Each structure stands twice: as C-alpha cells, then as structure tokens.
Amino acid sequence: MRSDAVKKGMQQAPHRSLFNALGLTEEEMERPLVGIVSSYNEIVPGHMNLDKIVEAVKLGVAMAGGTPRVFPAIAVCDGIAMGHIGMKYSLVTRDLIADSTEAMALAHQFDALVMIPNCDKNVPGLLMAAARINVPTVFVSGGPMLAGHVKGKKRSLSSMFEAVGSYAAGTMTEEDVLEMEQKVCPTCGSCSGMYTANSMNCLTEVLGMGLKGNGTIPAVYSERIKLAKHAGMQVMELLRKNIRPRDIMTKEAILNALTVDMALGCSTNSMLHLPAIAHEIGMDFDITFANEISAKTPNLCHLAPAGPTYIEELNEAGGVYAVMNELNKKGLLHTECMTVTGKTVGENIEGCINKNPEVIRPIENPYSQTGGLAVLTGNLAPDGSVVKRSAVVPEMMVHEGPARVFDCEEDAIEAIKGGKIVAGDVVVIRYEGPKGGPGMREMLNPTSAIAGMGLGSSVALITDGRFSGASRGASIGHISPEAAVGGPIALVEEGDRIRINIPETKLELLVSEEELAARREKWQPREPKVTTGYLARYASMVTSGNRGAILEIPKH
C-alpha cells in the first residue's frame, strides 16, 4: 500500500508516533489510509450540509475496512461573490483547490480518496486533483437545493437576480422583491437550476467518477446520506481492484461528458472546466470541436434558467443515467468506459428509463436537434467564444446591432440600470478575462439586469469574461483571445456593428480589415489591475478561456 511509506518499518517509527498522537489504534494503522476531502464551510449554502456527508462517508469507509481521515478544501459561493471584487476570487480557487488537495494527498501518502465537493469550482478543482494524484477515488457531492415557491410558482436564484432588474425597471415592487428574497433559496444545497455547480456534479456522473444520483439527489433527502455511505464503501472496492481516476477519466469519458453537457443544456462554465480536466489527463481539448458534438447531439432538457423545471424534477425523471440512456438509443456515447461502480457506462445505464418525457424529452422529440452549447468564432473571437444556445430566445439566435463598449462590469451595469441600453444594442464588456480581470468574473448581474428590464429578447451581451450558469439570453462569453492580450475585442469602438449568428456559429465585427489593422497599431496593453498577491501570480500564468483558463509556467 502507498501508505506503507508512512506506516511500516523502523524508519517510519517517528511517523507512527504522530499517528499515535492522532489516537489511531494499531488496527487502524493496519488498514488502508483513506483521505476524505471535505469542502464543508459555514458561508456557502451548498456546503453547510457537507459535515453530514463527511460523517456518512467515514462510516462507509470504516464499514468496508478502511481508516478515514478528513482534510479540507476551500469553497467560494459565487452568488455571494457576485458583482464586486469577490468575483475575481471565484474561478481562481479552482487551481488553489487542485493544488492544495494534491499537496495534502501526496504529503500524507493516502491509499485512496473520497472527494466531497458541491459548488462551482470545487467539483472541477477536485477532479483535476484526482487526475494528478491518481489513487482510487470516488466523488460524492452535497446535492442540489430544492426550488423555492413564490406565488404558486417554482423559483430559484436566477429569478432573484432578475428581480433586481425588474425593480429597477419599475415592474416589481420592493415588497415583491423582499418576498422572493425570503423564498427562492429554501434549503441547503447547490442552487436548484442547471447552473454551474449542478452541471459539474451531473457531469461527474457522466465521467464515471460519481455514483448514480451524485448530480441530482437533493441535498436534504436522506437518500443523499445513503449515497455518501455507499461512496465510502465503493472506494475500498476500487482500491481492491486498483481502478484509478486515469483509468476512468479517459479521452472517451471527456467526450461522453461533452455529449451529455449538450443534452442537458449545462452551464457555459463547463466549457472552461472540461478543458482543464482534460489537460490533467494529457488531452488537448480544442473547444471548437464542441460544435461537432453539438451538431449530432439533441438538446433534451430545458432546466432553469432555460425552462421551468429544476434538478429535483430531473432526479424524479430518472436523473443523469436516464438522459444517457436516451442518448445511447442513437449510439452517441462511448459505453465501454470504466466507472467508479466497477462497471462500464453501458452496464450502468442499462434499463434506466425516462420517467417523465416533459422533463427529459425522448430522443425522438428533442427541444432541438443540436446541443445546448455552441462555440462561436469569427474575426471578433478567432479562438472561440461560448453561448448557452438552449437559453437564447428564438428571435436572438441571429442578431446585428451597435456595440455599446464598457471596460469593466460595473460601468455596464450602471448603463443598463440607468436606461442607457436600448433594444438592438450589443453590450460589450472587456478586460474581464482570466488575465485582464484578473479572474474572469461571472456576469450574472448585467445579464439579469437585461432580462429583468425586459430586454432579454432584444439585447445581446458579449464579453471576454464568463457567465453564471444562472445567466440566460444571448450572453456570449469566453471571447478569446481576451482584450488584455490584444484580442480583437480590445479593438471594438462604440457604435461598431456586431453580427451574431448562433445557428452558423459566427461572431463578427463588421469593420474592415484595414481599419482593424490601424486600430491594432495604436493599441497599448493596459496596466494590470492587480499587482500583488495570488491574483497577480494567477494573471501571470493563466491562458485565455478557450483553453480552459489553465495555468502554465511562463516561458522565458
């Protein structure tokens, strides 16, 4: 066992003395050492219940013959971090989580790991770490929040952000906003729509790294506790069989995840996280090939914010496996991939029927014949940009309008709420990319303000930043190269015409090449917004969004 390096032989007597200090018995030291990576904290609603999950996992590990030891991972609540400097510290935690988990796992020579994430960056950060460490590993998330109920309708966090825009537009009273505030987030768990956290927890199932129900069983259901116990037991089975993350997270598994991503209509952030996970297994993930998968993958789900259904309903309809089983009717999945169940994808999804064709459309009757995400390219985004096509209204699938240019999110929000943005406009928010932000802030405030003010079917927003999974509308993010490195988005001027054609996957700045060349000659890099601390180090190493905002050591 790997942990023999800290437990066996005379050289390890000092190490054993420290295990004695932990109160471990000789019997416990004889067993495999299993690290439990807990993202529990008291500031993130999706993480406040993880202490219960941790205790259940520990029990499962011990029942199956292992010695569980808990250590922490950090987490940021994107909702609380939204719209201020805190959002610069959201995406960047993905790499802190991966790095710190790698350090803890290898420093203490764990034989196996159980990862317990829930919200946006913890899931991909821990998947990245799992690929690096490559000891038998199982994931079990904290589970999704139940939807809120306001005036007889189900509601979620995205409704709350949009309510602020509605209030600014005078179409909602302060009393209505306060009522929603009390009711849209009724329980612990990751926010209840197909936002980034739930997208990544569902895709963890698809990748084969979580057991059935990992992405969909609500946080408050006792079934989630049972799932956690089984995850603890199952990691011991993987250890016995020596099945490791890189046996599971293969190129084919990544392609499965991208396929189901299209069917579910996941958050655009999955197009940052899947490339980063792929990078850890040595796969070169070019985001433009997502269009090839999208072209043959029907969109089967319209979960909030794209539609009126929530993760709890996806769970009742059969969950992720039922979606996969629909896709497999057309042979769209690599069914031979190994998973943490010890069985293949094909064996796992066999007989997993779709129990509600209103929540999961049958593959013969999809919402659309193409997937939920699209990668747009053109002279404004030579290296690509990403839009959640399934959350765009039909009249905005093709749009042309004048650029309204802002060099930071705050200026754009002020203009939107001040009534300065009108139907037909294309709002451009730049210098918010991975380097320029730094940290590639999510733009839920401006997209929600646009929707809340009744402009969702007439105004587009494009940015080198990114969007919350709660964003909807013609919101195009990850424009690469970003403005901070001189990408074409840095050359856009107020009033330039921009053409968006989502069906043809095009994003064009209608300015001549001669004029763009002249502007490029005059362009000067901006002074960094942050020059000290972690953000400055991050900005010096991070790539553009098209490569997943991965960190690379600068070449000298």
Side-chain angles (χ1 to χ4, degrees), residues 462-480:
I462 70 172
T463 181
D464 54 6
R466 63 195 179 98
F467 294 108
S468 164
S471 292
R472 62 187 176 101
S475 306
I476 301 164
H478 310 193
I479 288 179
S480 302

mmCIF file of all heavy atoms in Angstrom, residues 462-480:
data_model
loop_
_atom_site.group_PDB
_atom_site.id
_atom_site.type_symbol
_atom_site.label_atom_id
_atom_site.label_comp_id
_atom_site.label_asym_id
_atom_site.label_seq_id
_atom_site.Cartn_x
_atom_site.Cartn_y
_atom_site.Cartn_z
ATOM 1 N N ILE A 462 -21.765 40.479 -24.941
ATOM 2 C CA ILE A 462 -20.581 39.682 -25.246
ATOM 3 C C ILE A 462 -19.429 40.131 -24.358
ATOM 4 O O ILE A 462 -19.322 41.307 -24.013
ATOM 5 C CB ILE A 462 -20.190 39.764 -26.739
ATOM 6 C CG1 ILE A 462 -19.654 41.151 -27.103
ATOM 7 C CG2 ILE A 462 -21.379 39.412 -27.632
ATOM 8 C CD1 ILE A 462 -19.086 41.212 -28.505
ATOM 9 N N THR A 463 -18.579 39.188 -23.943
ATOM 10 C CA THR A 463 -17.517 39.514 -23.002
ATOM 11 C C THR A 463 -16.366 38.520 -23.095
ATOM 12 O O THR A 463 -16.555 37.369 -23.505
ATOM 13 C CB THR A 463 -18.066 39.525 -21.556
ATOM 14 O OG1 THR A 463 -17.021 39.864 -20.639
ATOM 15 C CG2 THR A 463 -18.638 38.169 -21.152
ATOM 16 N N ASP A 464 -15.172 38.987 -22.691
ATOM 17 C CA ASP A 464 -14.054 38.052 -22.522
ATOM 18 C C ASP A 464 -14.062 37.472 -21.109
ATOM 19 O O ASP A 464 -13.221 36.653 -20.753
ATOM 20 C CB ASP A 464 -12.704 38.688 -22.869
ATOM 21 C CG ASP A 464 -12.429 39.980 -22.122
ATOM 22 O OD1 ASP A 464 -13.221 40.369 -21.237
ATOM 23 O OD2 ASP A 464 -11.404 40.644 -22.430
ATOM 24 N N GLY A 465 -15.031 37.909 -20.299
ATOM 25 C CA GLY A 465 -15.307 37.270 -19.018
ATOM 26 C C GLY A 465 -16.179 36.051 -19.236
ATOM 27 O O GLY A 465 -16.199 35.464 -20.316
ATOM 28 N N ARG A 466 -16.959 35.699 -18.217
ATOM 29 C CA ARG A 466 -17.778 34.493 -18.332
ATOM 30 C C ARG A 466 -19.138 34.751 -17.691
ATOM 31 O O ARG A 466 -19.381 35.828 -17.147
ATOM 32 C CB ARG A 466 -17.069 33.302 -17.666
ATOM 33 C CG ARG A 466 -16.849 33.463 -16.183
ATOM 34 C CD ARG A 466 -15.841 32.470 -15.629
ATOM 35 N NE ARG A 466 -15.668 32.693 -14.195
ATOM 36 C CZ ARG A 466 -16.274 31.995 -13.245
ATOM 37 N NH1 ARG A 466 -17.085 31.001 -13.568
ATOM 38 N NH2 ARG A 466 -16.091 32.261 -11.974
ATOM 39 N N PHE A 467 -20.003 33.751 -17.764
ATOM 40 C CA PHE A 467 -21.348 33.892 -17.238
ATOM 41 C C PHE A 467 -21.632 32.838 -16.193
ATOM 42 O O PHE A 467 -21.141 31.722 -16.268
ATOM 43 C CB PHE A 467 -22.376 33.782 -18.371
ATOM 44 C CG PHE A 467 -22.284 34.914 -19.342
ATOM 45 C CD1 PHE A 467 -21.776 34.716 -20.614
ATOM 46 C CD2 PHE A 467 -22.656 36.194 -18.978
ATOM 47 C CE1 PHE A 467 -21.656 35.769 -21.506
ATOM 48 C CE2 PHE A 467 -22.543 37.252 -19.859
ATOM 49 C CZ PHE A 467 -22.041 37.045 -21.126
ATOM 50 N N SER A 468 -22.460 33.214 -15.246
ATOM 51 C CA SER A 468 -23.004 32.247 -14.310
ATOM 52 C C SER A 468 -23.869 31.263 -15.075
ATOM 53 O O SER A 468 -24.473 31.607 -16.095
ATOM 54 C CB SER A 468 -23.852 32.979 -13.269
ATOM 55 O OG SER A 468 -24.684 32.079 -12.571
ATOM 56 N N GLY A 469 -23.972 30.049 -14.556
ATOM 57 C CA GLY A 469 -24.915 29.099 -15.124
ATOM 58 C C GLY A 469 -26.348 29.587 -15.013
ATOM 59 O O GLY A 469 -27.240 29.092 -15.693
ATOM 60 N N ALA A 470 -26.570 30.593 -14.140
ATOM 61 C CA ALA A 470 -27.909 31.169 -13.968
ATOM 62 C C ALA A 470 -28.224 32.212 -15.030
ATOM 63 O O ALA A 470 -29.346 32.710 -15.086
ATOM 64 C CB ALA A 470 -28.032 31.784 -12.573
ATOM 65 N N SER A 471 -27.241 32.572 -15.853
ATOM 66 C CA SER A 471 -27.488 33.556 -16.905
ATOM 67 C C SER A 471 -28.308 32.936 -18.032
ATOM 68 O O SER A 471 -28.199 31.752 -18.322
ATOM 69 C CB SER A 471 -26.164 34.064 -17.501
ATOM 70 O OG SER A 471 -25.468 34.837 -16.551
ATOM 71 N N ARG A 472 -29.159 33.766 -18.667
ATOM 72 C CA ARG A 472 -29.870 33.323 -19.866
ATOM 73 C C ARG A 472 -29.874 34.463 -20.866
ATOM 74 O O ARG A 472 -29.499 35.578 -20.552
ATOM 75 C CB ARG A 472 -31.294 32.878 -19.528
ATOM 76 C CG ARG A 472 -32.197 33.957 -18.942
ATOM 77 C CD ARG A 472 -33.520 33.369 -18.487
ATOM 78 N NE ARG A 472 -34.372 34.343 -17.826
ATOM 79 C CZ ARG A 472 -35.396 34.960 -18.401
ATOM 80 N NH1 ARG A 472 -35.669 34.724 -19.677
ATOM 81 N NH2 ARG A 472 -36.135 35.812 -17.725
ATOM 82 N N GLY A 473 -30.308 34.150 -22.088
ATOM 83 C CA GLY A 473 -30.314 35.164 -23.137
ATOM 84 C C GLY A 473 -29.092 35.046 -24.032
ATOM 85 O O GLY A 473 -28.276 34.128 -23.890
ATOM 86 N N ALA A 474 -28.967 36.004 -24.967
ATOM 87 C CA ALA A 474 -27.848 35.998 -25.918
ATOM 88 C C ALA A 474 -26.599 36.516 -25.213
ATOM 89 O O ALA A 474 -26.121 37.626 -25.446
ATOM 90 C CB ALA A 474 -28.187 36.838 -27.133
ATOM 91 N N SER A 475 -26.079 35.692 -24.309
ATOM 92 C CA SER A 475 -24.921 36.030 -23.483
ATOM 93 C C SER A 475 -23.735 35.209 -23.981
ATOM 94 O O SER A 475 -23.705 33.990 -23.783
ATOM 95 C CB SER A 475 -25.202 35.710 -22.016
ATOM 96 O OG SER A 475 -26.393 36.349 -21.590
ATOM 97 N N ILE A 476 -22.781 35.866 -24.613
ATOM 98 C CA ILE A 476 -21.657 35.173 -25.261
ATOM 99 C C ILE A 476 -20.380 35.504 -24.497
ATOM 100 O O ILE A 476 -19.970 36.665 -24.418
ATOM 101 C CB ILE A 476 -21.534 35.595 -26.738
ATOM 102 C CG1 ILE A 476 -22.838 35.272 -27.481
ATOM 103 C CG2 ILE A 476 -20.343 34.915 -27.401
ATOM 104 C CD1 ILE A 476 -22.976 35.963 -28.818
ATOM 105 N N GLY A 477 -19.775 34.487 -23.898
ATOM 106 C CA GLY A 477 -18.595 34.697 -23.066
ATOM 107 C C GLY A 477 -17.363 33.985 -23.577
ATOM 108 O O GLY A 477 -17.373 33.374 -24.649
ATOM 109 N N HIS A 478 -16.270 34.096 -22.795
ATOM 110 C CA HIS A 478 -15.003 33.407 -23.072
ATOM 111 C C HIS A 478 -14.376 33.884 -24.380
ATOM 112 O O HIS A 478 -13.623 33.139 -25.015
ATOM 113 C CB HIS A 478 -15.176 31.883 -23.156
ATOM 114 C CG HIS A 478 -15.914 31.242 -22.024
ATOM 115 N ND1 HIS A 478 -15.920 29.881 -21.823
ATOM 116 C CD2 HIS A 478 -16.668 31.750 -21.033
ATOM 117 C CE1 HIS A 478 -16.653 29.590 -20.765
ATOM 118 N NE2 HIS A 478 -17.123 30.725 -20.272
ATOM 119 N N ILE A 479 -14.708 35.102 -24.841
ATOM 120 C CA ILE A 479 -14.162 35.562 -26.123
ATOM 121 C C ILE A 479 -12.634 35.528 -26.064
ATOM 122 O O ILE A 479 -12.014 36.134 -25.188
ATOM 123 C CB ILE A 479 -14.699 36.962 -26.472
ATOM 124 C CG1 ILE A 479 -16.174 36.854 -26.864
ATOM 125 C CG2 ILE A 479 -13.883 37.603 -27.597
ATOM 126 C CD1 ILE A 479 -16.844 38.157 -27.216
ATOM 127 N N SER A 480 -12.051 34.794 -26.998
ATOM 128 C CA SER A 480 -10.609 34.552 -26.996
ATOM 129 C C SER A 480 -10.021 34.878 -28.369
ATOM 130 O O SER A 480 -10.642 34.560 -29.389
ATOM 131 C CB SER A 480 -10.330 33.076 -26.666
ATOM 132 O OG SER A 480 -10.890 32.724 -25.418
#
